[in-house]
């Protein structure tokens, strides 16, 4: 039925109702000059044929376009580079929907820099997608954008108490709990410390992952004890130095959970210390690098979120908000994937 409905045109409706095309157009756009009986015939024909207006054609007729902005982080984070590529690919689809995308790169770890970038967008965009920092100034900047008519979607990392329209990303507490269960199982009953490295706990996704991980490890695996979390700002060189310090201070280290990015630095430090085979290493996001680490046995598991799905979902949510069309919540749910060496796609 849906394939047939896609082929139905206004001419088909006019023919079925026995009226002119101009009359059908007046009924659809609720313009005066059509008798009630005639309007009823047109509505009956629409219902019978399953006609649905083409929103893109309607926007074209009204010369209506939308402008969106994606705020992405600076730096060498491989996952974010993948996300940027996916936003670029999604932008090509949005052009067919008469919507256009700009990308802005800022230091999302700095609340003042991120808030200033958001403030500069006021009045320029119909919708904004942002890797959010859960900080009072950032929340205020999001709220101000919304108050001035821009829809805001938080992407990957949330600011839930802001007035954002929707969060697009995985359940990060569940992701952290998953990492905790994998760490406990892969440790094989060995006793000792487990290290956590995050980009920044100011990013809510990193804080939630840490929370979920510690819930499981501290509550279910008495053989393991979690060390105080260290921050590496998602930078490979910084995470390498942090890992070197941890390895030197804890020769009995059982595992490392990398909450954020910087997996290359951790892998390099483990290999340099000759510990890549005995330290359980769990991290996030399947990239060219983490794929290689899995194959070589340096990483034991990767918890993944689909960057393409996130980019497309953010775009669909913003577009639907602007056009007044509904979204499908099931379609926009971002799932958690677990990849081992044996199931890499």
């Amino acid at each position: 039925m849906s394939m047939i409905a896609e082929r139905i045109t206004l001419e088909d409706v006019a023919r079925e109702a026995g009226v002119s095309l101009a009359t059908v157009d007046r009924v659809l756009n609720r313009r005066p000059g059509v008798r009630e009986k005639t309007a009823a015939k047109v509505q009956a024909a629409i219902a019978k044929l399953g006609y649905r207006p083409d929103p893109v054609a309607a926007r074209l007729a009204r010369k209506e376009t939308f402008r969106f902005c994606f705020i992405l982080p600076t730096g060498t984070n491989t996952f974010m580079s993948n996300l940027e590529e996916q936003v670029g690919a999604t932008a090509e689809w949005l052009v067919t929907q008469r919507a256009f995308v700009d990308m802005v790169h800022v230091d999302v770890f700095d609340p003042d820099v991120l808030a200033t970038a958001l403030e500069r967008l006021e009045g320029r965009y119909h919708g904004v997608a942002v890797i959010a920092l859960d900080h009072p100034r950032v929340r205020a900047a999001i709220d101000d954008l919304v108050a001035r008519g821009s829809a805001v979607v938080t992407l990957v990392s949330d600011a839930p108490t802001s007035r954002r329209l929707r969060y697009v990303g995985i359940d990060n507490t569940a992701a952290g709990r998953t990492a905790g269960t994998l760490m406990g199982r892969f440790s094989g009953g060995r006793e000792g410390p487990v290290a956590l490295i995050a980009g920044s706990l100011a990013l809510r996704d990193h804080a939630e992952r840490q929370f979920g991980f510690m819930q499981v490890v501290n509550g279910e695996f008495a053989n393991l004890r979690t060390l105080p979390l260290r921050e590496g700002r998602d930078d490979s060189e910084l995470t390498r130095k942090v890992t070197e310090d941890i390895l030197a201070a804890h020769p009995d280290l059982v595992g490392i959970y990398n909450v954020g990015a910087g997996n290359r630095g951790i892998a390099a430090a483990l290999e340099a210390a000759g510990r890549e085979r005995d330290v359980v290493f769990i991290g996030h996001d399947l990239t060219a690098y983490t794929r290689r680490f899995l194959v070589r046995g340096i990483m034991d598991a990767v918890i993944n979120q689909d960057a393409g799905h996130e980019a497309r979902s953010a775009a669909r949510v913003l577009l639907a908000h602007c056009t007044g069309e509904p979204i499908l919540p099931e379609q926009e749910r971002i799932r958690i994937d677990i990849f081992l060496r044996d199931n890499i796609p």
Side-chain angles (χ1 to χ4, degrees):
M1 179 64 182
S2 60
M3 292 183 65
I4 296 174
E6 289 174 0
R7 294 196 296 268
I8 298 300
T9 66
L10 288 179
E11 287 82 358
D12 297 321
V13 174
R15 190 179 304 112
E16 176 69 25
V19 299
S20 69
L21 187 60
T23 298
V24 174
D25 181 70
R26 283 197 293 271
V27 172
L28 282 174
N29 291 285
R30 300 179 181 178
R31 289 196 291 268
V34 181
R35 289 182 297 177
E36 185 176 338
K37 183 178 179 180
T38 302
K41 287 172 61 179
V42 172
Q43 294 293 354
I46 289 172
K48 178 180 178 180
L49 297 176
Y51 171 77
R52 294 184 63 187
D54 182 346
V56 177
R59 291 198 292 273
L60 181 62
R62 295 193 299 267
K63 298 182 179 180
E64 183 179 51
T65 61
F66 302 117
R67 298 205 66 87
F68 301 143
C69 182
F70 280 69
I71 297 185
L72 303 173
T74 54
T76 59
N77 185 327
T78 308
F79 170 77
M80 291 301 175
S81 296
N82 291 345
L83 180 63
E84 180 177 348
E85 290 179 8
Q86 293 298 328
V87 171
T90 302
E92 295 179 10
W93 168 75
L94 281 171
V95 168
T96 68
Q97 305 299 308
R98 297 187 58 77
F100 304 91
V101 169
D102 291 329
M103 284 185 272
V104 174
H105 296 84
V106 302
D107 181 358
V108 300
F109 291 109
D110 188 322
D112 292 326
V113 170
L114 180 55
T116 298
L118 287 166
E119 290 163 358
R120 288 173 178 166
L121 303 183
E122 289 183 6
R124 297 171 55 191
Y125 295 97
H126 297 89
V128 174
V130 57
I131 311 292
L133 195 67
D134 194 16
H135 183 278
R137 185 160 177 215
V138 174
R139 292 194 297 268
I142 291 173
D143 292 349
D144 287 345
L145 273 176
V146 174
R148 287 165 173 75
S150 296
V152 177
V153 166
T154 52
L155 184 60
V156 178
S157 186
D158 197 13
T161 59
S162 70
R163 294 178 60 190
R164 54 92 167 130
L165 175 65
R166 187 179 178 89
Y167 163 63
V168 175
I170 59 173
D171 180 336
N172 284 292
T173 300
R177 289 182 61 85
T178 301
T181 297
L182 292 171
M183 182 65 72
R185 299 286 184 179
F186 288 176
S187 68
R190 286 186 293 158
E191 295 187 359
V194 173
L196 292 90
I197 301 174
S200 171
L201 289 185
L203 287 169
R204 192 176 184 91
D205 59 329
H206 291 196
E208 289 177 344
R209 291 174 189 175
Q210 179 205 22
F211 175 73
F213 181 85
M214 295 183 69
Q215 264 190 326
V216 171
V217 171
N218 294 338
E220 300 180 19
F221 297 97
N223 57 305
L224 302 176
R225 71 179 191 278
T226 54
L227 297 173
L229 181 138
R230 301 284 298 273
E231 293 189 351
R233 292 182 65 85
D234 284 352
D235 179 84
S236 292
E237 183 60 25
L238 285 177
T239 57
R240 181 185 65 80
K241 292 177 181 177
V242 167
T243 305
E244 289 173 346
D245 291 344
I246 292 170
L247 291 170
H250 303 280
D252 59 340
L253 187 73
V254 173
I256 297 175
Y257 172 40
N258 187 23
V259 176
N263 290 305
R264 281 176 287 168
I266 297 172
L270 287 172
E271 286 191 295
R275 301 290 307 279
E276 69 273 17
R277 295 295 178 180
D278 65 284
V279 173
V280 179
F281 177 17
I282 296 170
H284 282 265
D285 303 320
L286 190 66
T287 67
Y289 295 106
T290 56
R291 183 188 300 267
R292 188 183 313 143
F293 300 151
L294 284 173
V295 170
R296 291 169 57 187
I298 300 171
M299 290 189 80
D300 295 275
V302 168
I303 298 167
N304 188 62
Q305 54 189 326
D306 189 324
H309 190 180
E310 289 174 324
R312 292 187 296 273
S313 180
R316 284 193 297 261
V317 169
L318 290 174
L319 185 63
H321 175 80
C322 291
T323 61
E325 297 172 8
I327 64 169
L328 298 174
E330 297 80 8
Q331 183 183 29
E332 311 309 340
R333 185 176 298 115
I334 311 298
R335 71 184 185 206
I336 297 171
D337 295 317
I338 302 171
F339 290 114
L340 311 178
R341 181 181 61 183
D342 308 290
N343 71 331
I344 301 172

PDB file of all heavy atoms in Angstrom, residues 12 14 17 22 28 89 110 121 123 128 133 139 158 164 192 197 207 217 219 230 249 271 273 285 290 342:
ATOM      1  N   ASP A  12      -4.234  12.711  -9.590  1.00  0.00           N
ATOM      2  CA  ASP A  12      -5.033  11.523  -9.290  1.00  0.00           C
ATOM      3  C   ASP A  12      -6.193  11.862  -8.363  1.00  0.00           C
ATOM      4  O   ASP A  12      -7.319  11.381  -8.535  1.00  0.00           O
ATOM      5  CB  ASP A  12      -4.157  10.439  -8.658  1.00  0.00           C
ATOM      6  CG  ASP A  12      -3.058   9.957  -9.581  1.00  0.00           C
ATOM      7  OD1 ASP A  12      -3.329   9.829 -10.786  1.00  0.00           O
ATOM      8  OD2 ASP A  12      -1.938   9.717  -9.095  1.00  0.00           O
ATOM      9  N   ALA A  14      -7.616  14.829  -7.993  1.00  0.00           N
ATOM     10  CA  ALA A  14      -8.579  15.647  -8.740  1.00  0.00           C
ATOM     11  C   ALA A  14      -9.463  14.769  -9.632  1.00  0.00           C
ATOM     12  O   ALA A  14     -10.686  14.968  -9.717  1.00  0.00           O
ATOM     13  CB  ALA A  14      -7.839  16.690  -9.578  1.00  0.00           C
ATOM     14  N   ALA A  17     -11.969  12.794  -7.481  1.00  0.00           N
ATOM     15  CA  ALA A  17     -13.021  13.645  -6.906  1.00  0.00           C
ATOM     16  C   ALA A  17     -13.876  14.317  -7.974  1.00  0.00           C
ATOM     17  O   ALA A  17     -14.937  14.873  -7.663  1.00  0.00           O
ATOM     18  CB  ALA A  17     -12.389  14.708  -6.005  1.00  0.00           C
ATOM     19  N   ALA A  22      -6.884  22.951  -9.316  1.00  0.00           N
ATOM     20  CA  ALA A  22      -6.896  24.166  -8.490  1.00  0.00           C
ATOM     21  C   ALA A  22      -7.795  23.988  -7.271  1.00  0.00           C
ATOM     22  O   ALA A  22      -7.470  24.466  -6.175  1.00  0.00           O
ATOM     23  CB  ALA A  22      -7.351  25.359  -9.320  1.00  0.00           C
ATOM     24  N   LEU A  28      -6.495  21.465   0.084  1.00  0.00           N
ATOM     25  CA  LEU A  28      -5.322  21.045   0.844  1.00  0.00           C
ATOM     26  C   LEU A  28      -4.721  22.193   1.644  1.00  0.00           C
ATOM     27  O   LEU A  28      -4.228  21.999   2.759  1.00  0.00           O
ATOM     28  CB  LEU A  28      -4.261  20.472  -0.096  1.00  0.00           C
ATOM     29  CG  LEU A  28      -4.491  19.039  -0.599  1.00  0.00           C
ATOM     30  CD1 LEU A  28      -3.439  18.663  -1.631  1.00  0.00           C
ATOM     31  CD2 LEU A  28      -4.444  18.059   0.566  1.00  0.00           C
ATOM     32  N   ALA A  89      28.366  13.290   5.338  1.00  0.00           N
ATOM     33  CA  ALA A  89      27.537  12.448   4.479  1.00  0.00           C
ATOM     34  C   ALA A  89      26.055  12.744   4.692  1.00  0.00           C
ATOM     35  O   ALA A  89      25.268  12.781   3.730  1.00  0.00           O
ATOM     36  CB  ALA A  89      27.830  10.973   4.765  1.00  0.00           C
ATOM     37  N   ASP A 110      36.276  22.798  27.436  1.00  0.00           N
ATOM     38  CA  ASP A 110      36.324  24.116  28.077  1.00  0.00           C
ATOM     39  C   ASP A 110      34.917  24.717  28.060  1.00  0.00           C
ATOM     40  O   ASP A 110      34.420  25.102  26.993  1.00  0.00           O
ATOM     41  CB  ASP A 110      37.302  25.028  27.326  1.00  0.00           C
ATOM     42  CG  ASP A 110      37.541  26.341  28.040  1.00  0.00           C
ATOM     43  OD1 ASP A 110      36.577  26.909  28.618  1.00  0.00           O
ATOM     44  OD2 ASP A 110      38.690  26.828  28.018  1.00  0.00           O
ATOM     45  N   LEU A 121      25.803  31.500  17.891  1.00  0.00           N
ATOM     46  CA  LEU A 121      24.888  30.920  16.907  1.00  0.00           C
ATOM     47  C   LEU A 121      23.490  31.524  16.968  1.00  0.00           C
ATOM     48  O   LEU A 121      22.657  31.225  16.105  1.00  0.00           O
ATOM     49  CB  LEU A 121      24.776  29.406  17.121  1.00  0.00           C
ATOM     50  CG  LEU A 121      26.072  28.596  17.064  1.00  0.00           C
ATOM     51  CD1 LEU A 121      25.765  27.114  17.225  1.00  0.00           C
ATOM     52  CD2 LEU A 121      26.825  28.845  15.763  1.00  0.00           C
ATOM     53  N   GLY A 123      20.159  33.193  16.484  1.00  0.00           N
ATOM     54  CA  GLY A 123      19.514  33.830  15.356  1.00  0.00           C
ATOM     55  C   GLY A 123      20.007  33.389  13.998  1.00  0.00           C
ATOM     56  O   GLY A 123      19.511  33.861  12.968  1.00  0.00           O
ATOM     57  N   VAL A 128      20.505  23.115  16.157  1.00  0.00           N
ATOM     58  CA  VAL A 128      21.913  22.947  16.529  1.00  0.00           C
ATOM     59  C   VAL A 128      22.085  21.577  17.167  1.00  0.00           C
ATOM     60  O   VAL A 128      21.277  21.166  18.017  1.00  0.00           O
ATOM     61  CB  VAL A 128      22.368  24.043  17.526  1.00  0.00           C
ATOM     62  CG1 VAL A 128      23.792  23.779  18.013  1.00  0.00           C
ATOM     63  CG2 VAL A 128      22.264  25.426  16.888  1.00  0.00           C
ATOM     64  N   LEU A 133      28.734  19.684  27.102  1.00  0.00           N
ATOM     65  CA  LEU A 133      29.410  19.614  28.396  1.00  0.00           C
ATOM     66  C   LEU A 133      28.359  19.972  29.439  1.00  0.00           C
ATOM     67  O   LEU A 133      27.692  21.002  29.320  1.00  0.00           O
ATOM     68  CB  LEU A 133      30.560  20.631  28.424  1.00  0.00           C
ATOM     69  CG  LEU A 133      31.616  20.511  29.524  1.00  0.00           C
ATOM     70  CD1 LEU A 133      32.429  19.233  29.348  1.00  0.00           C
ATOM     71  CD2 LEU A 133      32.530  21.732  29.492  1.00  0.00           C
ATOM     72  N   ARG A 139      24.750  24.898  29.797  1.00  0.00           N
ATOM     73  CA  ARG A 139      23.291  24.709  29.883  1.00  0.00           C
ATOM     74  C   ARG A 139      22.565  26.027  29.644  1.00  0.00           C
ATOM     75  O   ARG A 139      21.536  26.066  28.950  1.00  0.00           O
ATOM     76  CB  ARG A 139      22.917  24.124  31.240  1.00  0.00           C
ATOM     77  CG  ARG A 139      23.396  22.693  31.441  1.00  0.00           C
ATOM     78  CD  ARG A 139      22.705  22.047  32.639  1.00  0.00           C
ATOM     79  NE  ARG A 139      23.020  22.716  33.895  1.00  0.00           N
ATOM     80  CZ  ARG A 139      24.020  22.366  34.708  1.00  0.00           C
ATOM     81  NH1 ARG A 139      24.813  21.344  34.372  1.00  0.00           N
ATOM     82  NH2 ARG A 139      24.217  22.997  35.840  1.00  0.00           N
ATOM     83  N   ASP A 158      25.338  14.349  26.974  1.00  0.00           N
ATOM     84  CA  ASP A 158      24.088  15.054  27.229  1.00  0.00           C
ATOM     85  C   ASP A 158      24.239  16.178  28.249  1.00  0.00           C
ATOM     86  O   ASP A 158      25.204  16.227  29.028  1.00  0.00           O
ATOM     87  CB  ASP A 158      23.045  14.045  27.726  1.00  0.00           C
ATOM     88  CG  ASP A 158      21.612  14.565  27.640  1.00  0.00           C
ATOM     89  OD1 ASP A 158      21.390  15.600  26.981  1.00  0.00           O
ATOM     90  OD2 ASP A 158      20.730  13.924  28.223  1.00  0.00           O
ATOM     91  N   ARG A 164      17.232  21.303  25.956  1.00  0.00           N
ATOM     92  CA  ARG A 164      17.491  20.628  24.678  1.00  0.00           C
ATOM     93  C   ARG A 164      16.276  19.797  24.272  1.00  0.00           C
ATOM     94  O   ARG A 164      15.512  19.317  25.103  1.00  0.00           O
ATOM     95  CB  ARG A 164      18.752  19.783  24.770  1.00  0.00           C
ATOM     96  CG  ARG A 164      18.789  18.771  25.933  1.00  0.00           C
ATOM     97  CD  ARG A 164      18.268  17.450  25.528  1.00  0.00           C
ATOM     98  NE  ARG A 164      18.572  16.403  26.487  1.00  0.00           N
ATOM     99  CZ  ARG A 164      17.680  15.567  26.963  1.00  0.00           C
ATOM    100  NH1 ARG A 164      16.402  15.724  26.637  1.00  0.00           N
ATOM    101  NH2 ARG A 164      18.030  14.587  27.775  1.00  0.00           N
ATOM    102  N   GLY A 192      43.627  -7.719  42.040  1.00  0.00           N
ATOM    103  CA  GLY A 192      44.470  -6.562  41.806  1.00  0.00           C
ATOM    104  C   GLY A 192      43.678  -5.345  41.393  1.00  0.00           C
ATOM    105  O   GLY A 192      42.440  -5.382  41.308  1.00  0.00           O
ATOM    106  N   ILE A 197      40.557   5.542  32.865  1.00  0.00           N
ATOM    107  CA  ILE A 197      41.050   6.771  32.245  1.00  0.00           C
ATOM    108  C   ILE A 197      39.895   7.398  31.470  1.00  0.00           C
ATOM    109  O   ILE A 197      39.228   6.721  30.680  1.00  0.00           O
ATOM    110  CB  ILE A 197      42.234   6.481  31.296  1.00  0.00           C
ATOM    111  CG1 ILE A 197      43.375   5.813  32.060  1.00  0.00           C
ATOM    112  CG2 ILE A 197      42.716   7.770  30.630  1.00  0.00           C
ATOM    113  CD1 ILE A 197      44.526   5.358  31.169  1.00  0.00           C
ATOM    114  N   ALA A 207      31.324  10.585  32.726  1.00  0.00           N
ATOM    115  CA  ALA A 207      30.946  10.414  34.133  1.00  0.00           C
ATOM    116  C   ALA A 207      29.971   9.257  34.302  1.00  0.00           C
ATOM    117  O   ALA A 207      30.080   8.465  35.254  1.00  0.00           O
ATOM    118  CB  ALA A 207      30.341  11.715  34.667  1.00  0.00           C
ATOM    119  N   VAL A 217      31.836  -3.405  39.039  1.00  0.00           N
ATOM    120  CA  VAL A 217      33.112  -3.947  39.525  1.00  0.00           C
ATOM    121  C   VAL A 217      33.159  -3.959  41.047  1.00  0.00           C
ATOM    122  O   VAL A 217      33.524  -4.976  41.667  1.00  0.00           O
ATOM    123  CB  VAL A 217      34.294  -3.146  38.939  1.00  0.00           C
ATOM    124  CG1 VAL A 217      35.607  -3.551  39.615  1.00  0.00           C
ATOM    125  CG2 VAL A 217      34.388  -3.358  37.435  1.00  0.00           C
ATOM    126  N   GLY A 219      30.652  -3.850  43.076  1.00  0.00           N
ATOM    127  CA  GLY A 219      29.562  -4.595  43.688  1.00  0.00           C
ATOM    128  C   GLY A 219      29.570  -6.081  43.410  1.00  0.00           C
ATOM    129  O   GLY A 219      28.993  -6.859  44.177  1.00  0.00           O
ATOM    130  N   ARG A 230      41.835   8.749  36.293  1.00  0.00           N
ATOM    131  CA  ARG A 230      42.770   9.732  35.733  1.00  0.00           C
ATOM    132  C   ARG A 230      42.166  10.309  34.453  1.00  0.00           C
ATOM    133  O   ARG A 230      41.455   9.616  33.730  1.00  0.00           O
ATOM    134  CB  ARG A 230      44.108   9.060  35.414  1.00  0.00           C
ATOM    135  CG  ARG A 230      44.790   8.410  36.609  1.00  0.00           C
ATOM    136  CD  ARG A 230      45.440   9.451  37.501  1.00  0.00           C
ATOM    137  NE  ARG A 230      46.481  10.173  36.796  1.00  0.00           N
ATOM    138  CZ  ARG A 230      47.768   9.763  36.717  1.00  0.00           C
ATOM    139  NH1 ARG A 230      48.127   8.625  37.300  1.00  0.00           N
ATOM    140  NH2 ARG A 230      48.675  10.481  36.063  1.00  0.00           N
ATOM    141  N   ALA A 249      53.355   2.549  38.789  1.00  0.00           N
ATOM    142  CA  ALA A 249      52.910   2.573  40.191  1.00  0.00           C
ATOM    143  C   ALA A 249      52.218   1.277  40.608  1.00  0.00           C
ATOM    144  O   ALA A 249      52.155   0.967  41.803  1.00  0.00           O
ATOM    145  CB  ALA A 249      51.970   3.762  40.407  1.00  0.00           C
ATOM    146  N   GLU A 271      52.366  -1.814  25.147  1.00  0.00           N
ATOM    147  CA  GLU A 271      53.364  -2.519  24.336  1.00  0.00           C
ATOM    148  C   GLU A 271      54.774  -2.177  24.791  1.00  0.00           C
ATOM    149  O   GLU A 271      55.648  -3.067  24.862  1.00  0.00           O
ATOM    150  CB  GLU A 271      53.184  -2.165  22.868  1.00  0.00           C
ATOM    151  CG  GLU A 271      51.978  -2.825  22.217  1.00  0.00           C
ATOM    152  CD  GLU A 271      51.984  -2.671  20.709  1.00  0.00           C
ATOM    153  OE1 GLU A 271      51.863  -1.522  20.238  1.00  0.00           O
ATOM    154  OE2 GLU A 271      52.104  -3.704  20.021  1.00  0.00           O
ATOM    155  N   ALA A 273      55.769  -1.451  27.682  1.00  0.00           N
ATOM    156  CA  ALA A 273      56.042  -2.099  28.979  1.00  0.00           C
ATOM    157  C   ALA A 273      55.980  -3.621  28.885  1.00  0.00           C
ATOM    158  O   ALA A 273      56.227  -4.314  29.880  1.00  0.00           O
ATOM    159  CB  ALA A 273      55.043  -1.599  30.014  1.00  0.00           C
ATOM    160  N   ASP A 285      34.429   2.564  21.056  1.00  0.00           N
ATOM    161  CA  ASP A 285      34.348   3.021  19.676  1.00  0.00           C
ATOM    162  C   ASP A 285      35.275   2.262  18.729  1.00  0.00           C
ATOM    163  O   ASP A 285      36.500   2.313  18.842  1.00  0.00           O
ATOM    164  CB  ASP A 285      34.601   4.530  19.580  1.00  0.00           C
ATOM    165  CG  ASP A 285      33.615   5.303  20.452  1.00  0.00           C
ATOM    166  OD1 ASP A 285      32.440   4.914  20.479  1.00  0.00           O
ATOM    167  OD2 ASP A 285      34.032   6.284  21.103  1.00  0.00           O
ATOM    168  N   THR A 290      41.301   0.888  16.921  1.00  0.00           N
ATOM    169  CA  THR A 290      40.824  -0.112  17.877  1.00  0.00           C
ATOM    170  C   THR A 290      40.570  -1.455  17.188  1.00  0.00           C
ATOM    171  O   THR A 290      40.744  -2.516  17.804  1.00  0.00           O
ATOM    172  CB  THR A 290      39.551   0.354  18.595  1.00  0.00           C
ATOM    173  OG1 THR A 290      38.532   0.669  17.631  1.00  0.00           O
ATOM    174  CG2 THR A 290      39.833   1.595  19.445  1.00  0.00           C
ATOM    175  N   ASP A 342      36.718 -11.613  17.489  1.00  0.00           N
ATOM    176  CA  ASP A 342      36.065 -12.632  16.682  1.00  0.00           C
ATOM    177  C   ASP A 342      34.821 -12.148  15.928  1.00  0.00           C
ATOM    178  O   ASP A 342      34.304 -12.893  15.076  1.00  0.00           O
ATOM    179  CB  ASP A 342      35.664 -13.810  17.573  1.00  0.00           C
ATOM    180  CG  ASP A 342      36.841 -14.295  18.402  1.00  0.00           C
ATOM    181  OD1 ASP A 342      37.761 -14.870  17.820  1.00  0.00           O
ATOM    182  OD2 ASP A 342      36.831 -14.072  19.623  1.00  0.00           O
TER     183      ASP A 342
END
